Amino acid sequence: MNEIQKAHARFVEEMGVVDNTVHVLLKGHLLIEEALSRIIDQFVFHREHVAEARLSFAGKVHLCRALCLRKNDLGEWDLIAALNAFRNVIAHTLQSPQRARKFDRVKEIYLREAATMSGIEDVRESSEADVVLLACGHCLGFLSSFEGDARVFRQLVFNMDRSLNPELTPFDL
C-alpha cells in the first residue's frame, strides 16, 4: 500500500466513527470560551483592544480568574483547566495515550466540585461523553453566575461615570 492509500484508509477509518466525547468536548470548550470572552467584555471599555490581544483560551481563563472578587480559588477553575487540557490532547492527537488520564482528571474534579448535587453518585458509571457534558454544563453555570456579577459591576461603573461626568455623552453599554 502506498502513502496515499495509507492516508486515505486512515481518513476513511477516522471519519467513519463519530466520537461523542470529542463532539461534546469541542462544543463545550467553545461555549466555555464564549462565556469567558463575555465576562472579559464586561470589565473592559474598549473591547477592540482585547480582540487585538488574541488571548488564548488559557489566557482568558487566567484573566477571568484574576477579575474575580471572591471566586478566584473555586475548584471550577481547576475543572475548566482540566477540560482545556483534555481538549488539547484530543485536538492535537486523535489516538493519544494521554486521553484516558486527561479524562480521569476531568471526572475526578467534576465529582469533587459537584459532590453535593443530587444524583452525582450515578455519574461514576456514566459514559465519557456524559461526564464531559455534565462537567461543561457545570462550568457554564459557574461562568454564567460570574457573568451576572460582572454585568452588575459594569453598571455600577457606568453609574459612577454618569455622576462624575454628567456633561459627557454617556458611555455606550
Side-chain angles (χ1 to χ4, degrees), residues 77-139:
W77 295 111
D78 297 333
L79 185 54
I80 291 169
L83 285 164
N84 187 46
F86 188 27
R87 196 236 25 130
N88 287 344
V89 163
I90 286 177
H92 298 290
T93 311
L94 288 173
Q95 305 298 328
S96 174
Q98 295 182 43
R99 178 177 174 149
R101 189 170 51 85
K102 297 295 184 182
F103 168 72
D104 288 345
R105 182 73 177 136
V106 167
K107 187 174 182 178
E108 170 194 332
I109 296 170
Y110 174 66
L111 289 171
R112 180 188 76 209
E113 295 308 312
T116 61
M117 298 174 80
S118 82
I120 194 65
E121 52 281 343
D122 299 334
V123 173
R124 291 188 189 287
E125 305 307 318
S126 295
S127 71
E128 195 179 68
D130 286 346
V131 171
V132 170
L133 178 72
L134 292 167
C136 288
H138 186 89
C139 291

Side-chain angles (χ1 to χ4, degrees), residues 148-168:
D149 294 346
R151 224 180 275 110
V152 170
F153 177 81
R154 186 176 182 89
Q155 189 58 57
L156 288 171
V157 171
F158 285 148
N159 292 343
M160 284 187 337
D161 179 60
R162 292 303 333 124
S163 294
L164 295 171
N165 301 300
E167 72 287 353
L168 296 178

Side-chain angles (χ1 to χ4, degrees), residues 7-28:
H8 181 264
R10 176 145 191 258
F11 178 80
V12 169
E13 178 184 345
E14 290 294 341
M15 298 307 281
V17 176
V18 175
D19 186 330
N20 288 333
T21 300
V22 171
H23 179 80
V24 170
L25 182 59
L26 294 178
K27 278 196 165 182

